[in-house]
Amino acid sequence: MGVLSSMTGFGAAQRDALGIAVRVEVRAVNHRGLQVKARLPAELSALESDVEARVRARIARGAVSLNVSLERGGGLAGTGFDLEAARRWTETLESAARTLGLAAQPTLEVLVGLPGVVVTGAAASQELAPEVAELVFACVDDALASLAEMREREGGALARDLLENALEVERLVELVRARMPEVVRGHHEALRARLAELIGANVPAADLAREAALIADRMDVGEELARLGSHLHQLRGLVSAGGQVGRKLDFLAQEFFREANTTGAKCNDAAVAHLVVDLKTHIERMREQVQNVE
């Protein structure tokens, strides 16, 4: 039996090696397709496309946000001071001060806190060691595995809920099926009484039979009930197979609604109407859960 996966989840991982601590956090929420947003430090920017490719290889649907942080040990080791960036910031700040009529000049403490003035690691050395890239990729894979584990746990809960509601849909379909002969008989008797009232007691049998056949044909929901049964069979098969079946389940949920609406429209009977309302309630619950399936 396969496993369903929810589109929502969270995963995190950390790896420490080479005097570096890499931490990856990944979050996923519902989305019609696959949307990946990766945020990496400037010194790891060259790895962004490879990181996104690793996400796409594991996930088919959902909006995925992945964040990579990196800390180096050894204090200022691998740290550089970009004099050109500091010069540009100084000129910009002095120009702003003159425009605003301020006498203040930027201090070194102010400059080191500005973007691009202090660069670290690969940004300072202008190259990224292959060992660092492999460490980042391994940490990304760990975080994605953690995310997959959570998504599968939630997918298991979704599967159980879908199957429970499918059982209720099946029960209600059978109640409608059992009720229909009585509904047709009731309309037949109502027709006989109405015709007798209008044209007398001697209603031609042929005319009555013809009208009864027309009523039975208009109220025949056997095809709709059969399709609902087929949809239930397909739903259980998809849940059992698992994998990336969210789109197929979403289509089935729409078809469930179509058949339930047609059944309610054909049957002018209070008891069937109540059953159809309950039927649509459970179909709506299935539809809501299906929206979370990858």
mmCIF file of all heavy atoms in Angstrom, residues 146-188:
data_model
loop_
_atom_site.group_PDB
_atom_site.id
_atom_site.type_symbol
_atom_site.label_atom_id
_atom_site.label_comp_id
_atom_site.label_asym_id
_atom_site.label_seq_id
_atom_site.Cartn_x
_atom_site.Cartn_y
_atom_site.Cartn_z
ATOM 1 N N SER A 146 13.306 15.243 6.551
ATOM 2 C CA SER A 146 12.502 15.582 7.731
ATOM 3 C C SER A 146 11.137 16.114 7.312
ATOM 4 O O SER A 146 10.100 15.762 7.901
ATOM 5 C CB SER A 146 13.241 16.619 8.578
ATOM 6 O OG SER A 146 12.454 17.065 9.653
ATOM 7 N N LEU A 147 11.114 16.944 6.289
ATOM 8 C CA LEU A 147 9.852 17.471 5.768
ATOM 9 C C LEU A 147 8.981 16.337 5.226
ATOM 10 O O LEU A 147 7.772 16.282 5.498
ATOM 11 C CB LEU A 147 10.129 18.486 4.656
ATOM 12 C CG LEU A 147 8.908 18.983 3.867
ATOM 13 C CD1 LEU A 147 7.999 19.822 4.753
ATOM 14 C CD2 LEU A 147 9.349 19.787 2.648
ATOM 15 N N ALA A 148 9.581 15.423 4.471
ATOM 16 C CA ALA A 148 8.825 14.313 3.886
ATOM 17 C C ALA A 148 8.207 13.444 4.971
ATOM 18 O O ALA A 148 7.062 12.983 4.832
ATOM 19 C CB ALA A 148 9.741 13.478 2.997
ATOM 20 N N GLU A 149 8.938 13.240 6.046
ATOM 21 C CA GLU A 149 8.420 12.427 7.152
ATOM 22 C C GLU A 149 7.169 13.073 7.762
ATOM 23 O O GLU A 149 6.167 12.391 8.023
ATOM 24 C CB GLU A 149 9.496 12.259 8.224
ATOM 25 C CG GLU A 149 9.080 11.372 9.378
ATOM 26 C CD GLU A 149 10.182 11.218 10.412
ATOM 27 O OE1 GLU A 149 11.346 11.597 10.130
ATOM 28 O OE2 GLU A 149 9.876 10.728 11.517
ATOM 29 N N MET A 150 7.224 14.386 7.967
ATOM 30 C CA MET A 150 6.060 15.075 8.531
ATOM 31 C C MET A 150 4.895 15.066 7.549
ATOM 32 O O MET A 150 3.737 14.860 7.930
ATOM 33 C CB MET A 150 6.436 16.515 8.895
ATOM 34 C CG MET A 150 5.304 17.293 9.541
ATOM 35 S SD MET A 150 5.847 18.937 10.101
ATOM 36 C CE MET A 150 4.305 19.545 10.813
ATOM 37 N N ARG A 151 5.172 15.288 6.277
ATOM 38 C CA ARG A 151 4.120 15.294 5.256
ATOM 39 C C ARG A 151 3.452 13.926 5.143
ATOM 40 O O ARG A 151 2.246 13.826 4.932
ATOM 41 C CB ARG A 151 4.710 15.724 3.909
ATOM 42 C CG ARG A 151 4.895 17.231 3.793
ATOM 43 C CD ARG A 151 5.877 17.616 2.716
ATOM 44 N NE ARG A 151 5.549 17.134 1.401
ATOM 45 C CZ ARG A 151 5.067 17.892 0.406
ATOM 46 N NH1 ARG A 151 4.812 19.174 0.607
ATOM 47 N NH2 ARG A 151 4.834 17.380 -0.774
ATOM 48 N N GLU A 152 4.225 12.864 5.316
ATOM 49 C CA GLU A 152 3.649 11.526 5.239
ATOM 50 C C GLU A 152 2.802 11.223 6.475
ATOM 51 O O GLU A 152 1.771 10.540 6.365
ATOM 52 C CB GLU A 152 4.755 10.492 5.074
ATOM 53 C CG GLU A 152 5.373 10.503 3.684
ATOM 54 C CD GLU A 152 6.485 9.492 3.530
ATOM 55 O OE1 GLU A 152 6.749 8.739 4.502
ATOM 56 O OE2 GLU A 152 7.097 9.434 2.437
ATOM 57 N N ARG A 153 3.231 11.705 7.647
ATOM 58 C CA ARG A 153 2.408 11.514 8.841
ATOM 59 C C ARG A 153 1.055 12.196 8.665
ATOM 60 O O ARG A 153 -0.003 11.627 8.968
ATOM 61 C CB ARG A 153 3.113 12.067 10.085
ATOM 62 C CG ARG A 153 4.222 11.196 10.620
ATOM 63 C CD ARG A 153 4.546 11.553 12.058
ATOM 64 N NE ARG A 153 4.859 12.962 12.229
ATOM 65 C CZ ARG A 153 6.078 13.474 12.128
ATOM 66 N NH1 ARG A 153 7.096 12.680 11.819
ATOM 67 N NH2 ARG A 153 6.294 14.761 12.316
ATOM 68 N N GLU A 154 1.089 13.441 8.184
ATOM 69 C CA GLU A 154 -0.167 14.157 7.945
ATOM 70 C C GLU A 154 -0.962 13.502 6.823
ATOM 71 O O GLU A 154 -2.192 13.469 6.858
ATOM 72 C CB GLU A 154 0.122 15.620 7.604
ATOM 73 C CG GLU A 154 0.674 16.423 8.774
ATOM 74 C CD GLU A 154 0.639 17.920 8.504
ATOM 75 O OE1 GLU A 154 0.032 18.333 7.510
ATOM 76 O OE2 GLU A 154 1.217 18.656 9.323
ATOM 77 N N GLY A 155 -0.265 12.953 5.832
ATOM 78 C CA GLY A 155 -0.949 12.255 4.744
ATOM 79 C C GLY A 155 -1.691 11.024 5.234
ATOM 80 O O GLY A 155 -2.786 10.708 4.748
ATOM 81 N N GLY A 156 -1.109 10.331 6.216
ATOM 82 C CA GLY A 156 -1.792 9.177 6.792
ATOM 83 C C GLY A 156 -3.094 9.577 7.458
ATOM 84 O O GLY A 156 -4.119 8.879 7.334
ATOM 85 N N ALA A 157 -3.075 10.702 8.167
ATOM 86 C CA ALA A 157 -4.303 11.200 8.802
ATOM 87 C C ALA A 157 -5.330 11.598 7.744
ATOM 88 O O ALA A 157 -6.535 11.346 7.900
ATOM 89 C CB ALA A 157 -3.973 12.387 9.705
ATOM 90 N N LEU A 158 -4.868 12.201 6.653
ATOM 91 C CA LEU A 158 -5.782 12.575 5.567
ATOM 92 C C LEU A 158 -6.420 11.331 4.950
ATOM 93 O O LEU A 158 -7.615 11.324 4.650
ATOM 94 C CB LEU A 158 -5.022 13.351 4.487
ATOM 95 C CG LEU A 158 -4.530 14.753 4.838
ATOM 96 C CD1 LEU A 158 -3.690 15.316 3.692
ATOM 97 C CD2 LEU A 158 -5.691 15.685 5.131
ATOM 98 N N ALA A 159 -5.609 10.290 4.751
ATOM 99 C CA ALA A 159 -6.127 9.062 4.154
ATOM 100 C C ALA A 159 -7.218 8.450 5.029
ATOM 101 O O ALA A 159 -8.263 8.019 4.523
ATOM 102 C CB ALA A 159 -4.993 8.064 3.944
ATOM 103 N N ARG A 160 -6.978 8.406 6.335
ATOM 104 C CA ARG A 160 -7.985 7.838 7.234
ATOM 105 C C ARG A 160 -9.281 8.637 7.184
ATOM 106 O O ARG A 160 -10.381 8.065 7.150
ATOM 107 C CB ARG A 160 -7.445 7.795 8.667
ATOM 108 C CG ARG A 160 -6.354 6.743 8.868
ATOM 109 C CD ARG A 160 -6.016 6.573 10.338
ATOM 110 N NE ARG A 160 -5.399 7.774 10.900
ATOM 111 C CZ ARG A 160 -4.092 8.023 10.854
ATOM 112 N NH1 ARG A 160 -3.272 7.173 10.233
ATOM 113 N NH2 ARG A 160 -3.592 9.118 11.410
ATOM 114 N N ASP A 161 -9.168 9.953 7.167
ATOM 115 C CA ASP A 161 -10.365 10.788 7.122
ATOM 116 C C ASP A 161 -11.107 10.627 5.801
ATOM 117 O O ASP A 161 -12.347 10.567 5.774
ATOM 118 C CB ASP A 161 -9.973 12.250 7.338
ATOM 119 C CG ASP A 161 -11.185 13.129 7.620
ATOM 120 O OD1 ASP A 161 -11.695 13.087 8.745
ATOM 121 O OD2 ASP A 161 -11.625 13.837 6.706
ATOM 122 N N LEU A 162 -10.363 10.551 4.698
ATOM 123 C CA LEU A 162 -11.001 10.362 3.397
ATOM 124 C C LEU A 162 -11.774 9.051 3.345
ATOM 125 O O LEU A 162 -12.909 8.997 2.858
ATOM 126 C CB LEU A 162 -9.937 10.372 2.293
ATOM 127 C CG LEU A 162 -9.410 11.744 1.849
ATOM 128 C CD1 LEU A 162 -8.199 11.570 0.947
ATOM 129 C CD2 LEU A 162 -10.497 12.528 1.128
ATOM 130 N N LEU A 163 -11.181 7.979 3.869
ATOM 131 C CA LEU A 163 -11.836 6.676 3.820
ATOM 132 C C LEU A 163 -13.051 6.624 4.741
ATOM 133 O O LEU A 163 -14.057 5.964 4.422
ATOM 134 C CB LEU A 163 -10.833 5.578 4.190
ATOM 135 C CG LEU A 163 -9.689 5.388 3.175
ATOM 136 C CD1 LEU A 163 -8.710 4.345 3.673
ATOM 137 C CD2 LEU A 163 -10.240 4.995 1.804
ATOM 138 N N GLU A 164 -12.981 7.310 5.881
ATOM 139 C CA GLU A 164 -14.137 7.361 6.784
ATOM 140 C C GLU A 164 -15.311 8.080 6.114
ATOM 141 O O GLU A 164 -16.457 7.625 6.190
ATOM 142 C CB GLU A 164 -13.754 8.064 8.087
ATOM 143 C CG GLU A 164 -12.857 7.239 8.993
ATOM 144 C CD GLU A 164 -12.368 8.021 10.198
ATOM 145 O OE1 GLU A 164 -12.791 9.194 10.357
ATOM 146 O OE2 GLU A 164 -11.561 7.478 10.977
ATOM 147 N N ASN A 165 -15.025 9.187 5.455
ATOM 148 C CA ASN A 165 -16.094 9.908 4.757
ATOM 149 C C ASN A 165 -16.595 9.126 3.550
ATOM 150 O O ASN A 165 -17.778 9.192 3.203
ATOM 151 C CB ASN A 165 -15.605 11.296 4.328
ATOM 152 C CG ASN A 165 -15.626 12.292 5.469
ATOM 153 O OD1 ASN A 165 -16.679 12.747 5.896
ATOM 154 N ND2 ASN A 165 -14.458 12.632 5.981
ATOM 155 N N ALA A 166 -15.694 8.369 2.899
ATOM 156 C CA ALA A 166 -16.115 7.537 1.775
ATOM 157 C C ALA A 166 -17.108 6.473 2.244
ATOM 158 O O ALA A 166 -18.082 6.158 1.533
ATOM 159 C CB ALA A 166 -14.906 6.874 1.126
ATOM 160 N N LEU A 167 -16.886 5.922 3.437
ATOM 161 C CA LEU A 167 -17.826 4.945 3.988
ATOM 162 C C LEU A 167 -19.209 5.570 4.190
ATOM 163 O O LEU A 167 -20.241 4.949 3.910
ATOM 164 C CB LEU A 167 -17.300 4.400 5.313
ATOM 165 C CG LEU A 167 -16.293 3.247 5.246
ATOM 166 C CD1 LEU A 167 -15.781 2.903 6.642
ATOM 167 C CD2 LEU A 167 -16.923 2.023 4.593
ATOM 168 N N GLU A 168 -19.232 6.800 4.684
ATOM 169 C CA GLU A 168 -20.508 7.488 4.889
ATOM 170 C C GLU A 168 -21.195 7.782 3.561
ATOM 171 O O GLU A 168 -22.412 7.655 3.433
ATOM 172 C CB GLU A 168 -20.290 8.784 5.671
ATOM 173 C CG GLU A 168 -20.142 8.582 7.162
ATOM 174 C CD GLU A 168 -21.379 7.919 7.755
ATOM 175 O OE1 GLU A 168 -22.486 8.490 7.633
ATOM 176 O OE2 GLU A 168 -21.247 6.824 8.318
ATOM 177 N N VAL A 169 -20.411 8.191 2.558
ATOM 178 C CA VAL A 169 -20.980 8.434 1.233
ATOM 179 C C VAL A 169 -21.596 7.144 0.694
ATOM 180 O O VAL A 169 -22.716 7.142 0.159
ATOM 181 C CB VAL A 169 -19.899 8.968 0.272
ATOM 182 C CG1 VAL A 169 -20.405 8.959 -1.176
ATOM 183 C CG2 VAL A 169 -19.493 10.385 0.657
ATOM 184 N N GLU A 170 -20.882 6.039 0.848
ATOM 185 C CA GLU A 170 -21.386 4.752 0.378
ATOM 186 C C GLU A 170 -22.688 4.379 1.087
ATOM 187 O O GLU A 170 -23.650 3.905 0.455
ATOM 188 C CB GLU A 170 -20.330 3.677 0.604
ATOM 189 C CG GLU A 170 -20.686 2.318 0.025
ATOM 190 C CD GLU A 170 -19.527 1.348 0.148
ATOM 191 O OE1 GLU A 170 -18.985 1.207 1.264
ATOM 192 O OE2 GLU A 170 -19.169 0.724 -0.873
ATOM 193 N N ARG A 171 -22.731 4.580 2.397
ATOM 194 C CA ARG A 171 -23.935 4.259 3.164
ATOM 195 C C ARG A 171 -25.126 5.101 2.682
ATOM 196 O O ARG A 171 -26.236 4.578 2.496
ATOM 197 C CB ARG A 171 -23.681 4.513 4.645
ATOM 198 C CG ARG A 171 -24.848 4.150 5.557
ATOM 199 C CD ARG A 171 -24.527 4.493 7.001
ATOM 200 N NE ARG A 171 -24.495 5.937 7.216
ATOM 201 C CZ ARG A 171 -25.577 6.678 7.457
ATOM 202 N NH1 ARG A 171 -26.779 6.121 7.490
ATOM 203 N NH2 ARG A 171 -25.464 7.989 7.652
ATOM 204 N N LEU A 172 -24.892 6.374 2.469
ATOM 205 C CA LEU A 172 -25.971 7.261 2.029
ATOM 206 C C LEU A 172 -26.437 6.928 0.612
ATOM 207 O O LEU A 172 -27.636 7.011 0.301
ATOM 208 C CB LEU A 172 -25.509 8.716 2.114
ATOM 209 C CG LEU A 172 -25.300 9.234 3.542
ATOM 210 C CD1 LEU A 172 -24.480 10.522 3.533
ATOM 211 C CD2 LEU A 172 -26.643 9.473 4.221
ATOM 212 N N VAL A 173 -25.511 6.545 -0.256
ATOM 213 C CA VAL A 173 -25.876 6.141 -1.617
ATOM 214 C C VAL A 173 -26.806 4.931 -1.564
ATOM 215 O O VAL A 173 -27.809 4.863 -2.299
ATOM 216 C CB VAL A 173 -24.611 5.826 -2.444
ATOM 217 C CG1 VAL A 173 -24.981 5.072 -3.727
ATOM 218 C CG2 VAL A 173 -23.887 7.118 -2.801
ATOM 219 N N GLU A 174 -26.486 3.975 -0.706
ATOM 220 C CA GLU A 174 -27.334 2.785 -0.596
ATOM 221 C C GLU A 174 -28.709 3.130 -0.027
ATOM 222 O O GLU A 174 -29.718 2.526 -0.408
ATOM 223 C CB GLU A 174 -26.641 1.726 0.267
ATOM 224 C CG GLU A 174 -25.414 1.110 -0.384
ATOM 225 C CD GLU A 174 -25.715 0.589 -1.788
ATOM 226 O OE1 GLU A 174 -26.737 -0.111 -1.950
ATOM 227 O OE2 GLU A 174 -24.947 0.901 -2.711
ATOM 228 N N LEU A 175 -28.772 4.094 0.891
ATOM 229 C CA LEU A 175 -30.067 4.520 1.421
ATOM 230 C C LEU A 175 -30.915 5.173 0.329
ATOM 231 O O LEU A 175 -32.128 4.955 0.258
ATOM 232 C CB LEU A 175 -29.869 5.491 2.592
ATOM 233 C CG LEU A 175 -29.327 4.877 3.894
ATOM 234 C CD1 LEU A 175 -29.078 5.967 4.938
ATOM 235 C CD2 LEU A 175 -30.309 3.845 4.446
ATOM 236 N N VAL A 176 -30.284 5.990 -0.511
ATOM 237 C CA VAL A 176 -31.014 6.600 -1.632
ATOM 238 C C VAL A 176 -31.495 5.509 -2.583
ATOM 239 O O VAL A 176 -32.655 5.518 -3.036
ATOM 240 C CB VAL A 176 -30.118 7.612 -2.382
ATOM 241 C CG1 VAL A 176 -30.817 8.092 -3.660
ATOM 242 C CG2 VAL A 176 -29.773 8.794 -1.490
ATOM 243 N N ARG A 177 -30.628 4.553 -2.885
ATOM 244 C CA ARG A 177 -31.000 3.461 -3.808
ATOM 245 C C ARG A 177 -32.203 2.677 -3.257
ATOM 246 O O ARG A 177 -33.135 2.340 -3.994
ATOM 247 C CB ARG A 177 -29.811 2.521 -3.997
ATOM 248 C CG ARG A 177 -29.972 1.550 -5.162
ATOM 249 C CD ARG A 177 -28.890 0.483 -5.139
ATOM 250 N NE ARG A 177 -27.566 1.043 -5.021
ATOM 251 C CZ ARG A 177 -26.853 1.524 -6.041
ATOM 252 N NH1 ARG A 177 -27.376 1.527 -7.253
ATOM 253 N NH2 ARG A 177 -25.638 2.011 -5.841
ATOM 254 N N ALA A 178 -32.179 2.403 -1.953
ATOM 255 C CA ALA A 178 -33.281 1.646 -1.346
ATOM 256 C C ALA A 178 -34.572 2.448 -1.306
ATOM 257 O O ALA A 178 -35.666 1.885 -1.354
ATOM 258 C CB ALA A 178 -32.881 1.215 0.073
ATOM 259 N N ARG A 179 -34.462 3.757 -1.218
ATOM 260 C CA ARG A 179 -35.641 4.612 -1.120
ATOM 261 C C ARG A 179 -36.329 4.818 -2.466
ATOM 262 O O ARG A 179 -37.549 5.039 -2.529
ATOM 263 C CB ARG A 179 -35.203 5.970 -0.538
ATOM 264 C CG ARG A 179 -36.243 7.079 -0.558
ATOM 265 C CD ARG A 179 -37.369 6.850 0.389
ATOM 266 N NE ARG A 179 -38.336 7.956 0.336
ATOM 267 C CZ ARG A 179 -39.554 7.891 0.844
ATOM 268 N NH1 ARG A 179 -39.965 6.800 1.462
ATOM 269 N NH2 ARG A 179 -40.358 8.931 0.759
ATOM 270 N N MET A 180 -35.590 4.736 -3.561
ATOM 271 C CA MET A 180 -36.119 5.138 -4.859
ATOM 272 C C MET A 180 -37.365 4.366 -5.318
ATOM 273 O O MET A 180 -38.304 4.983 -5.843
ATOM 274 C CB MET A 180 -35.022 5.058 -5.923
ATOM 275 C CG MET A 180 -33.996 6.184 -5.808
ATOM 276 S SD MET A 180 -34.752 7.824 -5.642
ATOM 277 C CE MET A 180 -35.667 7.935 -7.176
ATOM 278 N N PRO A 181 -37.443 3.029 -5.169
ATOM 279 C CA PRO A 181 -38.690 2.360 -5.598
ATOM 280 C C PRO A 181 -39.923 2.899 -4.887
ATOM 281 O O PRO A 181 -40.984 3.079 -5.510
ATOM 282 C CB PRO A 181 -38.423 0.890 -5.226
ATOM 283 C CG PRO A 181 -36.930 0.762 -5.250
ATOM 284 C CD PRO A 181 -36.423 2.077 -4.732
ATOM 285 N N GLU A 182 -39.792 3.182 -3.603
ATOM 286 C CA GLU A 182 -40.919 3.739 -2.865
ATOM 287 C C GLU A 182 -41.274 5.134 -3.364
ATOM 288 O O GLU A 182 -42.455 5.507 -3.431
ATOM 289 C CB GLU A 182 -40.587 3.771 -1.374
ATOM 290 C CG GLU A 182 -41.738 4.229 -0.492
ATOM 291 C CD GLU A 182 -41.412 4.173 0.989
ATOM 292 O OE1 GLU A 182 -40.392 3.546 1.341
ATOM 293 O OE2 GLU A 182 -42.169 4.776 1.774
ATOM 294 N N VAL A 183 -40.238 5.925 -3.722
ATOM 295 C CA VAL A 183 -40.491 7.269 -4.253
ATOM 296 C C VAL A 183 -41.277 7.181 -5.556
ATOM 297 O O VAL A 183 -42.257 7.913 -5.768
ATOM 298 C CB VAL A 183 -39.156 8.022 -4.486
ATOM 299 C CG1 VAL A 183 -39.407 9.338 -5.210
ATOM 300 C CG2 VAL A 183 -38.453 8.265 -3.163
ATOM 301 N N VAL A 184 -40.886 6.269 -6.433
ATOM 302 C CA VAL A 184 -41.574 6.121 -7.716
ATOM 303 C C VAL A 184 -43.015 5.655 -7.489
ATOM 304 O O VAL A 184 -43.963 6.170 -8.123
ATOM 305 C CB VAL A 184 -40.818 5.123 -8.617
ATOM 306 C CG1 VAL A 184 -41.618 4.838 -9.895
ATOM 307 C CG2 VAL A 184 -39.440 5.685 -8.987
ATOM 308 N N ARG A 185 -43.199 4.694 -6.583
ATOM 309 C CA ARG A 185 -44.560 4.224 -6.297
ATOM 310 C C ARG A 185 -45.419 5.361 -5.745
ATOM 311 O O ARG A 185 -46.598 5.509 -6.106
ATOM 312 C CB ARG A 185 -44.513 3.066 -5.288
ATOM 313 C CG ARG A 185 -44.137 1.737 -5.889
ATOM 314 C CD ARG A 185 -44.464 0.595 -4.936
ATOM 315 N NE ARG A 185 -43.742 0.717 -3.678
ATOM 316 C CZ ARG A 185 -42.547 0.219 -3.449
ATOM 317 N NH1 ARG A 185 -41.917 -0.452 -4.430
ATOM 318 N NH2 ARG A 185 -41.957 0.358 -2.276
ATOM 319 N N GLY A 186 -44.842 6.147 -4.856
ATOM 320 C CA GLY A 186 -45.581 7.270 -4.283
ATOM 321 C C GLY A 186 -46.030 8.258 -5.341
ATOM 322 O O GLY A 186 -47.177 8.740 -5.320
ATOM 323 N N HIS A 187 -45.156 8.574 -6.288
ATOM 324 C CA HIS A 187 -45.518 9.499 -7.365
ATOM 325 C C HIS A 187 -46.551 8.863 -8.294
ATOM 326 O O HIS A 187 -47.439 9.551 -8.833
ATOM 327 C CB HIS A 187 -44.272 9.914 -8.137
ATOM 328 C CG HIS A 187 -43.492 11.009 -7.456
ATOM 329 N ND1 HIS A 187 -43.751 12.337 -7.662
ATOM 330 C CD2 HIS A 187 -42.482 10.955 -6.557
ATOM 331 C CE1 HIS A 187 -42.932 13.068 -6.925
ATOM 332 N NE2 HIS A 187 -42.152 12.250 -6.239
ATOM 333 N N HIS A 188 -46.462 7.545 -8.474
ATOM 334 C CA HIS A 188 -47.428 6.828 -9.298
ATOM 335 C C HIS A 188 -48.818 6.932 -8.677
ATOM 336 O O HIS A 188 -49.812 7.251 -9.376
ATOM 337 C CB HIS A 188 -46.998 5.365 -9.424
ATOM 338 C CG HIS A 188 -47.826 4.587 -10.391
ATOM 339 N ND1 HIS A 188 -47.643 3.254 -10.613
ATOM 340 C CD2 HIS A 188 -48.853 4.957 -11.198
ATOM 341 C CE1 HIS A 188 -48.520 2.839 -11.514
ATOM 342 N NE2 HIS A 188 -49.259 3.860 -11.891
#
